[in-house]
Every structure is written in C-alpha cells, then in structure tokens.
C-alpha cells in the first residue's frame, strides 16, 4: 500500500517539527484514505504512542476517535454534492479555542472538490493564518477540481491504493461496458445507438456513475495491468489513445457528478471517443 509512505512522511515531518498545517491528499479511494488520515490523527495525538492499534485500555483519546466523539476532530462531508457554508462556519466556531483533549484541532474535508466558493473562502482563514494547533486534511479524487486558493495552500500527497480491480468491478456492469465500447467502435450510428440502446439502460445517476467508473477501472487495468478479457477496441487502438480515453472517462464522471444531462453526456462521450478510434 503506497499510502503507508505518506503516513510515515507526514509523521516524520511532525517529529522533525516541519509539518505543514494543511494537506491535500489525492487518492483513488476516498474512504480508505480517510481511514488512513484517522490513523495519522491517532498517531499525532495518542498519549500512549499509538501503534498499529492503540493497545492501552485507558486511552480515552483513541476510544473517542473510534466512537467519532472527539470534540477536536471534525469531519465534513458534502451534503447533496456540496460542502455547505454552515458546516464550515460550525468548524470555525468550534476551533476558535485551543484543543482541550488533544494536541491538535483537526478537520478533515472529505471530497474537497465539492467545496464551493463561499465555503472555500470561509476556510481560507485557517489556511492563511495557520496556528500551530490546527491541522487540515483535504481528501479528493482529483486535485484539479479543488478550488485553487485551497489547493495552493496545502501540501500535496498522492495516496494510491491499487485495490484489486476485481473488487471494484461488478461483472454485469462490466458486460454492459464492453458491449457499449465495442458497439461504438464498430458502429457508425453510434449517436443513434445512444438513443436506442443506452439511454434506457439505467434510471439513476448513481448507476451511470457506476457504469463509467467500471469502464474507468477496466480500461485502466487493460492499460497498466494484465487482463485477458480485452475487447476488440482495446487491442486495436494505441496505448496513448487508451490513456486519453481513460482521462476522458474521468471528465465524463465529473459531468455526471455535476448533474449534467445524461443524454448529452453520452453523446459527448461518443463524439470524443471517435477521435481515438477513427
Ligand atoms: Zn491511544
């Protein structure tokens, strides 16, 4: 797990007295990365020198963290795709006093790319006038989508987990992905195919998101890993094109995430794809 080195580096910097006040963690697995941040929080604060799992039965701090009850640790997640100003204001208010139970007041922003301008601006107070007892962790799956005023004030780390691709891929969805990719590769009427076959495939935005994530992981694995189920299209295009397609899918997922119209997104996908297989 690559992230072990990130954990160690942050802790090492802490012990050397040169730790940053804010971190931007770009990851391929937000939940896994969040768990790692929690472990860093324990290691920074645990009075019993937290090891793999705090063994000290008296350690209230680790108990409070495990129970999600430590007042000096606040996690903020998006509500309906947005990190709202109310949550940021709550954080600013809670952290206006020094921590009582732990060394640091620590906030974690999950899916930091979902901070809107007003939430980000409110948070800048912490980033522009850092105090020694406040630490911030911003977790995102794409640093480019994090508002630049936040991004530029954080120390950047990459936490890649390379979870087994098979864990992430649902075989039924994968089958649909392969059919789609092959059909738009062979089909001149690929936009029509969107109307006749694709648009009714899923009802929910979440399902479309999963569909394109499956495509993303499958193609990534075809490109950088070894898969013996490569479809025609993949065998015939160059690796360079394949990488471009993977980047395209990332963009498509962003559009879906941002509430874009699915019809238009599918058409955009097909039109962009043509560049790579013509
Ligand atoms: Zn502990």
């Amino acid at each position: 797990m690559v992230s072990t080195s990130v954990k160690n580096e942050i802790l090492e910097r802490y012990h050397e007295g040169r730790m940053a006040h804010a971190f931007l963690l770009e990851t391929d697995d937000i939940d896994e990365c969040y768990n790692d941040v929690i472990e860093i929080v324990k290691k920074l604060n645990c009075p019993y020198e937290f090891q793999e799992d705090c063994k000290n039965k008296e350690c209230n701090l680790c108990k409070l963290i495990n129970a999600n009850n430590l007042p000096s640790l606040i996690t903020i997640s998006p509500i309906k795709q947005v990190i709202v100003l109310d949550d940021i204001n709550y954080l600013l208010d809670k952290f206006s006093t020094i921590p009582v139970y732990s060394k640091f007041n620590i906030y974690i922003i999950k899916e930091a790319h979902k901070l809107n301008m007003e939430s980000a601006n409110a948070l800048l107070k912490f980033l522009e006038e850092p105090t020694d007892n406040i630490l911030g962790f911003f977790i995102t799956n794409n640093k480019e989508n994090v508002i630049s005023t936040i991004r530029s004030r954080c120390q950047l780390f990459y936490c890649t987990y390379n979870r087994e691709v098979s864990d992430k891929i649902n075989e039924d969805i994968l089958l649909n992905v392969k059919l789609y990719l092959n059909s738009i590769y062979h089909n001149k009427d690929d936009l029509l195919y969107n109307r006749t076959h694709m648009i009714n495939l899923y009802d929910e935005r979440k399902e479309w998101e999963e569909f394109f994530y499956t495509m993303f992981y499958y193609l990534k694995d075809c490109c950088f890993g070894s898969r013996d189920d490569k479809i025609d299209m993949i065998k015939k295009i160059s690796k360079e094109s394949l990488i471009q397609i993977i980047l395209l899918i990332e963009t498509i997922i962003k559009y879906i995430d941002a509430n874009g119209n699915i019809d238009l997104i599918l058409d955009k996908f097909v039109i962009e794809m043509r560049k790579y297989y013509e």
Side-chain angles (χ1 to χ4, degrees), residues 24-180:
L24 177 60
L25 308 175
E26 188 183 62
T27 181
D28 57 348
D29 191 326
I30 286 180
D31 289 325
E32 200 66 38
C33 185
Y34 178 76
N35 291 340
D36 275 346
V37 170
I38 293 293
E39 204 170 308
I40 293 171
V41 170
K42 287 179 178 170
K43 287 194 184 192
L44 291 173
N45 287 299
C46 175
Y48 300 99
E49 314 244 318
F50 178 84
Q51 308 258 309
E52 271 326 296
D53 196 2
C54 182
K55 298 282 190 293
N56 195 307
K57 289 199 179 73
E58 307 303 311
C59 181
N60 258 325
L61 193 111
C62 286
K63 266 191 235 165
L64 285 171
I65 292 175
N66 287 338
N68 200 9
N69 257 334
L70 181 69
S72 52
L73 173 64
I74 294 179
T75 298
I76 295 179
S77 302
I79 298 168
K80 288 188 185 156
Q81 308 290 341
V82 181
I83 292 174
V84 294
L85 184 61
D86 279 355
D87 283 350
I88 302 297
N89 284 336
Y90 171 81
L91 173 72
L92 296 171
D93 180 49
K94 288 285 162 196
F95 284 5
S96 60
T97 52
I98 57 166
V100 178
Y101 302 100
S102 57
K103 281 181 224 159
F104 298 101
N105 279 323
I106 298 180
Y107 60 95
I108 306 174
I109 309 288
K110 253 178 146 180
E111 301 189 71
H113 48 281
K114 291 180 179 167
L115 277 162
N116 61 14
M117 201 51 90
E118 55 174 2
S119 299
N121 282 341
L123 251 184
L124 278 184
K125 187 182 177 294
F126 281 161
L127 299 175
E128 283 173 337
E129 307 149 27
T131 54
D132 278 340
N133 53 45
I134 297 181
L135 295 180
F137 292 88
F138 297 81
I139 304 177
T140 181
N141 55 17
N142 190 339
K143 66 176 191 315
E144 299 306 324
N145 293 342
V146 176
I147 289 176
S148 61
T149 47
I150 298 279
R151 193 173 60 216
S152 63
R153 289 173 173 84
C154 290
Q155 187 174 30
L156 176 67
F157 287 100
Y158 296 97
C159 302
T160 312
Y161 294 89
N162 293 322
R163 265 204 298 158
E164 282 295 315
V165 168
S166 54
D167 287 359
K168 293 180 178 173
I169 289 189
N170 168 306
E171 287 301 321
D172 292 335
I173 301 175
L174 180 59
L175 190 65
N176 285 333
V177 164
K178 288 176 177 173
L179 281 171
Y180 188 38

Side-chain angles (χ1 to χ4, degrees), residues 227-243:
R227 275 195 92 96
D228 48 17
D229 63 338
K230 287 183 189 166
I231 54 170
D232 250 23
M233 183 206 98
I234 294 166
K235 289 182 197 154
K236 285 182 182 143
I237 61 173
S238 67
K239 184 163 179 173
E240 228 164 80
S241 296
L242 192 53
I243 291 171

Side-chain angles (χ1 to χ4, degrees), residues 168-212:
K168 293 180 178 173
I169 289 189
N170 168 306
E171 287 301 321
D172 292 335
I173 301 175
L174 180 59
L175 190 65
N176 285 333
V177 164
K178 288 176 177 173
L179 281 171
Y180 188 38
L181 288 175
N182 262 336
S183 76
I184 59 180
Y185 182 66
H186 291 298
N187 206 326
K188 291 224 162 14
D189 278 329
D190 39 17
L191 287 175
L192 185 66
Y193 188 84
N194 276 347
R195 301 277 164 275
T196 52
H197 289 79
M198 293 307 290
I199 194 60
N200 296 319
L201 191 58
Y202 300 115
D203 297 324
E204 301 281 327
R205 186 167 297 273
K206 232 184 150 52
E207 294 173 300
W208 281 111
E209 214 172 325
E210 219 181 328
F211 176 78
F212 278 102

